[in-house]
Amino acid sequence: MAMLRSCVPASKCLGRALSVSASKLGRPEPSSAESMLDIGTRRIFNEDHDMLREASRRFVEAEIVPNHRKWEEEGMVSREIWQQAGANGYLNVNIPEEHGGVGADFMSAMVVAEEVIASGCTGPFFSLHSDIIVPYISKYGSDEQRQRWIPDMTAGKCITAIGMSEPMAGSDLQGLQTHAVRDGDDYIINGSKTWISNGQLADAVVVVAKTKKDSSRAAHSLSLFVVERGMPGFERGKNLSKIGLKAQDTSELFFSDVRVPAANLLGEENKGFYYMMHELPQERLCVAVMAIAASEALFEWTREYLQDRKAFGGPLSKMQLLKHRMAQMKTEIAVGRAFIDSCIERHDRKELDSATASMAKSWASELQNRVATECVQLHGGMGYMYDYKIGRAYVDARIQPIYAGTNEIMMDLVSRTIFPN
């Protein structure tokens, strides 16, 4: 695919997003705007973010939307779209420039993530790569590791995945069985991972492994390793068949005596659990951000459908029952948007705590599923057709309360702050 020429590369406008050059006064919230997807809304953003949103929206509409159905049939997106995203500055937006990233603020990264998900395209997991995985390398890697990997990750030439979940250990890190044993200048890794997003395309996988077998607590026994494509003993299973996210490659990974150089250990040995606890709030916030953006898009698609669809002598949008259901849905989305935007703002200031991130992830993902269910109902039979994006969005939404820690785990984490003993 030819690179989008009409789009201003994000790298051109991201630098300006580092300083608030435009007044935030007078910016309407989505609940007051003509459309919840309008550009120029939300007090947490400024004109520089608007420029980025316009550019990334054009990129998504020109390069991702027309190809997404083909990628769904193929079970994964193309490598070319990753490289196009990198060339336009849409990867590693919030990774420091001195580490090989773009160097913009966290809110800029969320602008890009929102635009991809609001298009109804769930195949390109750019945010997983940029906002969840690469930060481990940026924050805990050495200068040599950052320079070795991050520039290519920013360019879309090196795609990442994170190997955390296992067949018998999803949200429970205590149950991880994959282990790594030191052998001279290397570690030898054995074990398996499952439900790994970007599993087929990934060139580098951050693998969570036990390095202290005699410890009964995960907090003292886990380490993070970067396992690279082509390492002997590193194999991928088939691309798993899911009920949704059809264009997102999800795989089992197998490690059989994989010899990984000690130079691929991230940070210190046995500190992996602490690193993950520090980074998981951002992962959960990213899920929440995408959930609210998807909810707003679902709402707007349904409003357009009800205005166009004729029945009983007029458009469905004239029926009081349906108008009230839409009003209720918009109210819930607006409440969720206010909370999630406050979380984005707090996280950008490094003030977001783990419990609040867990609340955000749980609330927003549950809301997305309620909205998806309601919007399918309001579309009638057409909503049940996979050819319609509303039907695809319905099945895509179902994973949101499951990954990044199930919502049941989120509530357990929140409850610990209520009853700390």
Side-chain angles (χ1 to χ4, degrees):
M1 291 177 285
M3 186 183 301
L4 182 64
R5 298 297 183 184
S6 60
C7 169
V8 178
S11 55
K12 297 294 185 183
C13 50
L14 285 176
R16 300 205 305 142
L18 291 171
S19 61
V20 180
S21 60
S23 172
K24 295 182 180 182
L25 296 176
R27 294 178 69 90
E29 292 302 316
S31 58
S32 303
E34 183 175 337
S35 166
M36 299 190 91
L37 302 178
D38 279 353
I39 295 174
T41 63
R42 298 161 64 185
R43 63 174 180 78
I44 67 170
F45 294 123
N46 58 49
E47 290 179 354
D48 297 320
H49 296 120
D50 294 343
M51 290 176 57
L52 172 60
R53 192 177 295 280
E54 290 176 1
S56 55
R57 186 172 294 186
R58 286 197 300 269
F59 174 80
V60 169
E61 290 174 350
E63 301 298 335
I64 295 178
V65 173
N67 294 296
H68 202 261
R69 288 310 305 276
K70 178 184 71 173
W71 294 334
E72 287 182 326
E73 294 170 1
E74 295 173 351
M76 68 185 75
V77 304
S78 67
R79 283 189 168 274
E80 288 75 17
I81 196 61
W82 281 88
Q83 292 171 15
Q84 285 179 267
N88 281 279
Y90 299 133
L91 300 178
N92 292 345
V93 173
N94 187 222
I95 299 298
E97 191 172 7
E98 61 269 25
H99 293 175
V102 174
D105 60 12
F106 179 73
M107 289 182 285
S108 296
M110 293 302 95
V111 166
V112 176
E114 288 175 349
E115 288 306 308
V116 175
I117 199 71
S119 72
C121 297
T122 53
F125 262 31
F126 297 155
S127 186
L128 171 70
H129 169 90
S130 301
D131 307 315
I132 296 172
I133 301 171
V134 177
Y136 282 102
I137 301 172
S138 176
K139 293 180 181 179
Y140 309 112
S142 64
D143 288 339
E144 184 276 329
Q145 288 172 329
R146 294 175 187 133
Q147 295 309 312
R148 178 161 39 125
W149 290 315
I150 293 181
D152 279 349
M153 292 171 177
T154 302
K157 297 176 182 178
C158 179
I159 301 169
T160 63
I162 186 163
M164 192 178 300
S165 296
E166 296 186 0
M168 300 303 292
S171 300
D172 179 18
L173 293 175
Q174 298 280 3
L176 292 181
Q177 297 299 311
T178 299
H179 59 275
V181 178
R182 185 70 184 249
D183 183 43
D185 293 332
D186 302 322
Y187 286 86
I188 298 176
I189 299 179
N190 283 280
S192 63
K193 302 290 180 178
T194 193
W195 309 309
I196 305 304
S197 301
N198 292 348
Q200 295 290 315
L201 288 170
D203 303 294
V205 182
V206 175
V207 175
V208 184
K210 281 188 174 182
T211 43
K212 194 175 183 182
K213 280 191 173 183
D214 58 349
S215 176
S216 60
R217 296 183 59 192
H220 304 305
S221 64
L222 301 179
S223 300
L224 306 181
F225 299 90
V226 177
V227 177
E228 299 175 80
R229 178 183 291 277
M231 286 184 168
F234 172 34
E235 303 290 342
R236 304 159 205 261
K238 66 180 181 180
N239 195 3
L240 298 174
S241 179
K242 309 181 296 296
I243 64 172
L245 304 184
K246 294 292 187 180
Q248 209 294 308
D249 55 307
T250 307
S251 310
E252 294 175 305
L253 304 179
F254 302 99
F255 308 92
S256 179
D257 291 331
V258 180
R259 187 170 287 274
V260 178
N264 283 29
L265 171 69
L266 287 181
E268 298 180 43
E269 188 178 282
N270 300 321
K271 291 293 182 67
F273 181 84
Y274 300 102
Y275 300 153
M276 287 186 287
M277 290 305 99
H278 191 268
E279 298 306 313
L280 283 174
Q282 178 162 308
E283 177 177 352
R284 288 158 183 166
L285 177 58
C286 288
V287 173
V289 168
M290 291 187 284
I292 293 295
S295 297
E296 291 171 336
L298 285 158
F299 174 85
E300 293 298 342
W301 302 343
T302 303
R303 171 158 58 171
E304 181 179 1
Y305 175 80
L306 294 178
Q307 290 172 331
D308 294 341
R309 178 81 163 89
K310 303 295 193 297
F312 306 105
L316 291 179
S317 59
K318 295 294 185 181
M319 299 181 69
Q320 186 181 59
L321 173 63
L322 302 188
K323 289 197 293 184
H324 286 187
R325 289 170 74 170
M326 288 292 286
Q328 179 64 33
M329 187 163 29
K330 183 175 183 180
T331 300
E332 291 190 29
I333 295 171
V335 170
R337 164 57 65 207
F339 176 47
I340 300 307
D341 275 4
S342 74
C343 290
I344 294 173
E345 195 170 39
R346 288 174 62 188
H347 188 64
D348 191 58
R349 298 196 304 260
K350 314 297 183 188
E351 297 174 358
L352 184 67
D353 61 276
S354 179
T356 303
S358 297
M359 294 178 203
K361 189 267 182 184
S362 176
W363 170 260
S365 61
E366 295 290 350
L367 173 64
Q368 180 185 355
N369 276 267
R370 291 198 303 273
V371 169
T373 299
E374 182 75 344
C375 289
V376 166
Q377 185 69 23
L378 293 177
H379 276 74
M382 289 185 180
Y384 197 67
M385 298 295 104
Y386 198 77
D387 285 341
Y388 285 80
K389 60 184 178 181
I390 199 76
R392 297 194 297 275
Y394 172 78
V395 292
D396 289 346
R398 191 60 193 86
I399 189 61
Q400 293 276 77
I402 298 173
Y403 61 14
T406 66
N407 283 2
E408 290 76 14
I409 295 293
M410 297 302 100
M411 290 298 94
D412 186 61
L413 295 173
V414 174
S415 72
R416 296 176 191 177
T417 66
I418 303 170
F419 301 105
N421 295 324

